[in-house]
């Protein structure tokens, strides 16, 4: 875009308030985190400069790597759960069917609900004694399938991920629907004239046409999963036995419960670079320029 | 000219931003009325919170020409995090509620608290030394206890215990195990436990069970390096939790519900017993249909080295002062504390079924389980683990006990892990 002097000034003035707020509340704290990550600090006493020791400890901290592993599990489950399901439903809804608006609203509903409400509701559904899932399984005689979903380390992560997927499918559904509706009619018509089947049209026309949107959705999905915190905090507190601990939760506990502000900041810094690198790789793989 | 305009506009915006942060400074000190802010976690609708608030209102009324105390309440679960974060930012209020032992230690180390030794005479002879010292660090007193929080009591439904064949509540651990087996045979959940937040097994169970096995000197000795967590008796105490889990003593979902939810399970009669602290007296009295059917017992005896009369507990309800208070504000705050921790407070709390550190007269209108629980404090208090251990060790034992219940860790492994952290933390 060409900017004349006048509109440039208007742009700066327009951006300034947002930029200032962003600097004070986002950029400055990030820089501060970098600074704290070189310190040993309990939040009260004098800070002590210890160089890279926090990072040294971090790389030897088994519980931390456990949380990284769990977090990658959430990322993979989200990307391969949320995106395909949302895309599939969006393709189904992208035709003239009755009650489209109702389906759309239902699909989007979990996104609007407060995470705490979702977490508590799903905790009840998963409850081993009288939760909905186990009750149904028992009612139809599948007792052996009933599990202590959140209380068993084998199942807790799976159970949490299902809830995460359920919560965010609606968001990507709306994004995909909007993209699908932007595909020009003519292209579709042309495909039909050439005798392409539904299947071929979907794979050869529709998906390539919204590929950019899909990439954006995947990036959103990864960055969202990397900082997942509230849902797990309410559902399991990272337990049992650290089986659902994720990076942000581990950072929170180390910083505020164990009063290791310096160490917590080092974890934040790690999350920052980890996310940056992961998203960079994904963009490269999916064939888009980084930043 | 245009550039200047932009600059001015930018500066204006900057000022409007900074103005928000600067404008809060209160005109205290120069006016006639000294205003003091007190932070607390009195958000729930509990009778004891009303007692606290009423006394503050009365104090304000009596001193309306000179002092005004402002109450700011923050929900309990966020309170300590907020306090620590604000302390890190040196933005503590004038007065704030604090918890004893290891939980005030970091605030003391960070020089955030004002010692109260100047005014200690007020409570001399009234509050036992043993309770007072919970709020003292290195001989300096930082708060006055309002109540005693016993952390290990057993509440039980009398009829359920009788039906399982026990005329009296079990006095030894072996008898308790028999009771658990008998209850399981009757398809009654033996013990209602909610350990999602992972502190109950530590604070309620291990604080007293550990003490029965190791004696009260064990924790201070271990922290100072004179003994070790790998001590056989401590491992035995941890093994009790493992054994209870294996006996299926708890409700199946104990790792996925929280402490208050487990109380509902007990109140409804679905579970025969509930291990909890004195904080549960009020909710249980309110939640059950027939108060007379509820009994309260101390933990049974274990074949250990500790005193079997003791139960774990700590002082509570203390309000600390900001170390930066001086002059008029300091005087006013001292005056407030002397007034607040008076007879009226302790009587009011006793009426709300809170165990208090001073002798108060009790009449028949006070429920039996409160009187019994109050009596247990006389046997002496054993240290509470999370009020004594460092935050790191507390976190480790909390998570470790949960792992033990699901067979992910053995008691011995946890003990070794804790000892390793204990040695590292001191360097």
């Amino acid at each position: 875009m060409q900017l004349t002097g006048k509109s440039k000034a208007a742009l700066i003035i327009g951006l300034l308030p947002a930029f200032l707020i962003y600097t004070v509340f986002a950029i400055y704290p990030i820089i501060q985190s970098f600074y704290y990550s070189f310190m040993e600090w309990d939040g009260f006493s004098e800070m002590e400069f210890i160089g890279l020791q926090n990072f040294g400890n971090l790389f030897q901290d088994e519980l931390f790597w456990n949380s990284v592993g769990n977090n990658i599990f959430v990322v993979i489950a989200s990307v391969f759960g949320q995106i395909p399901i949302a895309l599939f439903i969006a393709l189904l809804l992208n035709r003239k069917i009755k009650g489209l608006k109702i389906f759309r609203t239902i699909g989007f509903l979990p996104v609007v609900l407060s995470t705490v409400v979702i977490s508590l509701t799903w905790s009840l559904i998963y409850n081993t004694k009288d939760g909905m899932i186990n009750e149904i399984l028992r009612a139809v005689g599948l007792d052996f399938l009933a599990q202590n979903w959140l209380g068993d380390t084998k199942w807790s992560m799976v159970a949490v991920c299902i809830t995460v997927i359920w919560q965010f499918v609606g968001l990507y559904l709306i994004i995909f629907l909007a993209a699908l509706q932007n595909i020009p009619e003519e292209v579709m018509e042309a495909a039909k004239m050439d005798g392409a089947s539904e299947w071929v049209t979907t794979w050869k026309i529709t998906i390539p046409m919204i590929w950019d949107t899909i990439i954006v959705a995947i990036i959103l999905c990864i960055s969202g999963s990397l900082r997942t915190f509230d849902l797990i905090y309410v559902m399991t507190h990272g337990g049992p036995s650290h089986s659902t601990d994720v990076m942000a939760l581990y950072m929170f506990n180390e910083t505020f419960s164990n009063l290791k502000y310096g160490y917590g900041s080092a974890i934040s810094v790690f999350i920052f670079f980890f996310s940056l690198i992961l998203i960079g790789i994904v963009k490269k793989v999916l064939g888009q320029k980084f930043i | 000219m245009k550039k200047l305009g932009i600059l001015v506009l930018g500066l204006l915006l900057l000022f409007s931003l900074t103005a928000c942060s600067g404008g809060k400074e209160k005109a205290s000190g120069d006016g006639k009325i000294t205003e003091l802010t007190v932070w607390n976690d009195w958000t729930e609708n509990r009778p004891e919170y009303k007692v606290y608030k009423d006394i503050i209102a009365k104090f304000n009324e009596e001193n309306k020409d000179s002092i005004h105390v402002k109450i700011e309440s923050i929900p309990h679960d966020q309170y300590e995090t907020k306090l620590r974060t604000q302390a890190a930012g040196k933005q503590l209020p004038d007065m704030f509620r604090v918890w004893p032992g290891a939980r005030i230690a970091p605030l003391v180390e960070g020089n955030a608290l004002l010692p109260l030794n100047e005014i200690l005479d007020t409570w001399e002879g009234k509050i036992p030394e043993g309770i007072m010292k919970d709020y003292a660090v290195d001989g300096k007193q930082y708060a006055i206890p309002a109540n005693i929080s016993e952390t290990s009591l057993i509440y039980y439904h009398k009829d359920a215990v009788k039906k399982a064949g026990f005329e009296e509540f079990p006095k030894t651990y072996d008898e308790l195990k028999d009771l658990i087996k008998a209850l399981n045979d009757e398809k009654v959940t033996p013990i209602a436990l909610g350990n999602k937040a992972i502190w109950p097994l530590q604070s309620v169970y291990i604080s007293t069970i550990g003490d029965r096995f190791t004696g009260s000197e064990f924790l201070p000795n271990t922290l100072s390096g004179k003994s070790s967590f790998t001590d056989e008796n401590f491992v035995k105490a941890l093994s009790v939790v493992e054994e209870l889990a294996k006996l299926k003593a708890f409700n199946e979902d104990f790792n996925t519900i929280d402490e208050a939810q487990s109380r509902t399970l007990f109140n409804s009669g679905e579970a025969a017993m509930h291990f909890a602290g004195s904080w549960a007296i009020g909710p249980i009295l309110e939640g059950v249909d027939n108060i007379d059917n509820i009994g309260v017992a101390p933990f049974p005896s274990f074949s250990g080295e500790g005193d079997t009369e003791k139960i774990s507990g700590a002082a509570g309800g203390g309000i600390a002062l900001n170390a930066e208070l001086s002059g008029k504000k300091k005087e006013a705050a001292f005056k407030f504390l002397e007034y607040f921790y008076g007879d009226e407070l302790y009587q009011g709390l006793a009426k709300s079924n809170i165990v208090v550190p001073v002798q108060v007269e009790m009449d028949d209108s006070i429920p039996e389980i409160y009187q019994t629980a109050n009596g247990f404090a006389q046997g002496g208090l054993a240290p509470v683990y999370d009020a004594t251990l460092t935050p790191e060790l507390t976190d480790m034992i909390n998570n470790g006990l949960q792992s033990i219940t699901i067979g992910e860790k053995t008691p011995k492994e946890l003990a070794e892990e804790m000892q390793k952290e204990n040695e590292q933390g001191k360097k």
Side-chain angles (χ1 to χ4, degrees):
Chain A
M1 199 171 22
Q2 281 292 332
L3 293 174
T4 60
K6 204 173 182 182
S7 65
K8 210 176 196 174
L11 256 182
I12 292 174
I13 292 176
L15 284 175
L16 200 62
F19 177 73
L20 276 176
I21 290 175
Y22 191 71
T23 311
V24 172
F25 293 106
I27 296 175
Y28 175 64
I30 291 176
I31 295 170
Q32 215 171 16
S33 268
F34 276 89
Y35 174 68
Y36 290 153
S37 69
F38 298 115
M39 303 287 169
E40 175 162 348
W41 186 37
D42 65 1
F44 309 103
S45 327
E46 286 292 308
M47 280 187 236
E48 196 191 324
F49 181 80
I50 52 164
L52 290 171
Q53 203 187 316
N54 278 331
F55 292 95
N57 294 344
L58 186 64
F59 286 109
Q60 287 167 14
D61 187 342
E62 274 171 45
L63 283 176
F64 171 69
W65 288 109
N66 166 58
S67 76
V68 175
N70 287 334
N71 219 144
I72 291 174
F73 189 88
V74 177
V75 170
I76 292 173
S78 300
V79 172
F80 291 96
Q82 286 165 11
I83 306 287
I85 295 174
L87 188 59
F88 179 72
I89 300 177
L91 287 169
L92 282 185
L93 288 180
N94 189 36
R95 51 198 68 226
K96 289 168 189 71
I97 45 169
K98 265 190 196 150
L100 171 69
K101 273 191 181 163
I102 297 176
F103 289 126
R104 227 166 39 193
T105 312
I106 292 175
F108 196 66
L109 212 57
V111 184
V112 190
L113 284 179
S114 143
T115 309
V116 177
V117 173
I118 292 174
S119 313
L120 291 176
T121 314
W122 275 88
S123 298
L124 293 177
I125 294 176
Y126 281 133
N127 188 298
T128 163
K129 231 167 41 142
D130 42 23
M132 196 176 84
I133 296 180
N134 283 358
E135 293 268 297
I136 291 176
L137 287 173
R138 287 185 191 121
V140 297
L142 292 170
D143 295 44
F144 62 95
L145 284 180
Q147 301 289 345
N148 190 352
W149 299 106
L150 289 175
D152 187 332
T153 45
K154 278 203 292 293
W155 292 104
S156 50
M157 202 66 222
V158 177
V160 166
C161 283
I162 290 175
T163 313
V164 173
I165 292 171
W166 179 85
Q167 184 185 12
F168 286 110
V169 158
L171 178 68
Y172 302 110
L173 174 67
I174 295 297
I175 295 178
F176 289 146
L177 266 181
L180 287 173
Q181 264 142 29
N182 275 337
I183 298 177
E185 282 288 315
E186 303 89 69
V187 184
M188 290 304 193
E189 254 164 50
K192 219 179 253 169
M193 301 276 264
D194 289 342
S197 66
E198 271 299 307
W199 183 254
V200 174
T201 318
T202 305
W203 282 107
K204 293 264 158 83
I205 312 252
T206 319
I207 300 224
M209 289 289 277
I210 61 164
W211 188 241
D212 278 344
T213 312
I214 294 178
I215 291 177
V216 170
I218 291 176
I219 303 284
L220 276 177
C221 187
I222 293 174
S223 62
S225 316
L226 280 172
R227 52 160 206 255
T228 179
F229 171 80
D230 40 4
L231 191 124
I232 297 180
Y233 182 76
V234 180
M235 268 178 95
T236 63
H237 265 280
S241 185
H242 293 291
S243 61
T244 54
D245 234 352
V246 288
M247 289 191 288
L249 195 58
Y250 190 67
M251 183 271 287
F252 179 86
N253 280 333
E254 286 295 306
T255 315
F256 298 109
S257 306
N258 292 352
L259 294 179
K260 294 197 245 176
Y261 280 71
Y263 192 57
S265 299
I267 301 176
S268 303
V269 169
F270 179 89
I271 299 176
F272 180 81
F273 283 112
F274 186 78
S275 310
L276 210 63
I277 292 169
L278 191 66
I279 289 173
I281 294 172
V282 170
K283 281 202 152 187
K284 200 112 204 169
V285 169
L286 294 175
Q288 243 199 4
K289 260 184 274 160
F290 185 39
I291 305 174
Chain B
M1 197 56 214
K2 200 170 275 157
K3 269 193 186 150
L4 193 73
I6 296 166
L7 196 72
V8 169
L9 204 85
L11 281 176
L12 267 176
L13 281 166
L14 199 69
F15 268 115
S16 60
L17 269 178
T18 48
C20 311
S21 52
K24 254 188 101 182
E25 206 55 45
K26 284 204 191 71
S28 53
D30 48 37
K32 260 190 249 146
I33 294 180
T34 312
E35 193 177 88
L36 295 165
T37 307
V38 58
W39 271 13
N40 52 67
D41 60 342
W42 309 331
T43 50
E44 277 174 81
N45 187 17
R46 289 207 215 168
E48 70 259 35
Y49 296 161
K50 194 170 171 304
V51 174
Y52 293 145
K53 285 179 186 166
D54 286 350
I55 291 178
I56 292 179
K58 213 169 148 199
F59 176 81
N60 282 339
E61 183 55 36
E62 280 176 25
N63 297 283
K64 66 178 169 218
D65 302 325
S66 53
I67 308 170
H68 182 82
V69 176
K70 211 171 109 205
I71 302 176
E72 275 182 30
S73 301
I74 296 125
H76 174 82
D77 284 0
Q78 283 87 45
Y79 180 79
E80 238 182 330
T81 308
K82 177 159 171 145
L83 194 69
R84 287 168 174 178
T85 316
Q86 294 270 351
K90 299 246 175 286
Q91 289 176 320
L92 284 173
D94 306 314
M95 310 191 276
F96 37 92
R97 182 171 178 198
V98 286
W99 281 267
R103 287 160 87 174
I104 53 163
L107 290 164
V108 173
E109 265 170 47
N111 295 323
L113 305 185
L114 188 72
L116 306 178
N117 291 39
E118 291 172 43
I119 53 166
L120 268 189
D121 292 348
T122 321
W123 297 278
E124 177 111 33
K126 260 172 99 180
I127 301 176
E129 195 72 18
I131 305 285
M132 275 299 235
K133 77 169 191 324
D134 280 355
Y135 273 121
V137 178
D138 295 335
K140 283 184 183 155
Q141 191 75 27
Y142 291 98
I144 308 299
N147 62 306
I148 296 176
S149 183
E150 296 170 11
T151 64
S152 310
L153 297 170
I154 302 178
Y155 302 91
Y156 61 95
H157 289 279
K158 289 179 185 164
D159 57 354
V161 171
K162 205 172 255 176
K163 226 176 129 206
F166 284 77
E167 281 304 312
E168 241 187 2
F169 194 82
K171 291 230 169 0
T172 67
Y173 178 50
D174 288 327
E175 279 171 26
L176 180 70
K177 280 193 283 190
D178 290 338
L179 172 62
I180 289 168
K181 283 175 202 153
L183 286 166
N184 264 334
D185 290 340
E186 299 217 6
K187 303 263 175 264
V188 178
T189 305
I191 306 170
L193 168 64
N195 197 44
K196 181 164 103 176
I198 64 182
W199 59 266
L201 273 178
Q202 166 265 120
S203 201
V204 177
Y205 287 68
I206 287 299
S207 290
T208 294
I209 297 175
D211 190 72
R212 295 280 153 92
F213 275 103
T214 63
S216 302
E217 292 305 309
F218 174 71
L219 278 190
N221 278 348
T222 308
L223 290 174
S224 61
K226 272 182 251 163
S227 55
S228 157
F229 281 115
T230 51
D231 185 285
E232 195 189 340
N233 278 318
F234 180 67
V235 177
K236 273 189 198 160
L238 295 177
S239 308
V240 169
V241 168
E242 186 183 36
E243 193 172 12
L244 288 175
K246 277 199 182 133
L247 276 175
K248 301 218 177 299
F250 311 120
N251 41 299
E252 222 182 300
D253 53 358
F254 67 93
N255 269 329
T256 58
I257 62 172
D258 62 36
E259 212 247 346
Q261 279 173 302
S262 71
R263 200 135 46 234
T264 319
L265 196 68
F266 171 76
N267 288 350
S268 71
E270 239 184 278
M273 292 178 270
H274 177 49
F275 293 16
S278 50
W279 59 81
I281 298 177
I284 288 179
L285 286 177
E286 242 167 62
V288 294
D289 294 333
N290 180 9
I291 297 175
D292 294 330
N293 188 34
I294 302 297
V296 58
F299 271 39
S301 63
F302 296 82
S303 51
E305 290 171 9
D307 186 344
T308 51
E309 292 289 302
K310 272 187 177 176
I311 67 165
S312 60
I319 293 176
L321 304 185
N322 190 331
E324 280 162 25
L325 290 186
S326 60
K328 239 174 160 180
K329 274 195 138 184
K330 184 171 153 187
E331 262 171 51
F334 279 168
K335 190 173 172 191
F336 169 73
L337 288 186
E338 285 173 327
Y339 182 92
F340 188 75
Y341 293 99
D343 291 339
E344 204 175 329
L345 174 78
Y346 296 112
Q347 262 153 21
L349 288 176
K351 284 205 182 89
S352 320
N353 299 317
I354 300 294
V355 182
V356 291
V358 301
Q359 294 283 343
V360 284
E361 279 172 39
M362 276 190 256
D363 55 38
D364 293 340
S365 67
I366 290 176
E368 184 200 326
I369 74 168
Y370 170 71
Q371 296 202 20
T372 320
N374 209 26
F376 293 152
Q378 311 309 320
L381 292 175
V384 179
Y385 270 59
D386 55 3
T388 316
L389 297 178
T390 61
E392 287 95 341
L393 279 169
T394 305
D395 192 51
M396 192 169 268
I397 187 172
N398 280 351
N399 278 300
L401 285 167
Q402 193 181 45
S403 302
I404 287 175
T405 61
I406 51 175
E408 293 273 317
K409 205 171 260 174
T410 67
K412 206 160 172 251
E413 280 167 6
L414 174 61
E416 276 161 10
E417 206 177 281
M418 285 176 71
Q419 183 54 26
K420 208 172 134 207
E421 165 66 35
N422 190 32
E423 280 161 18
Q424 271 178 357
K426 264 196 295 291
K427 64 165 189 262

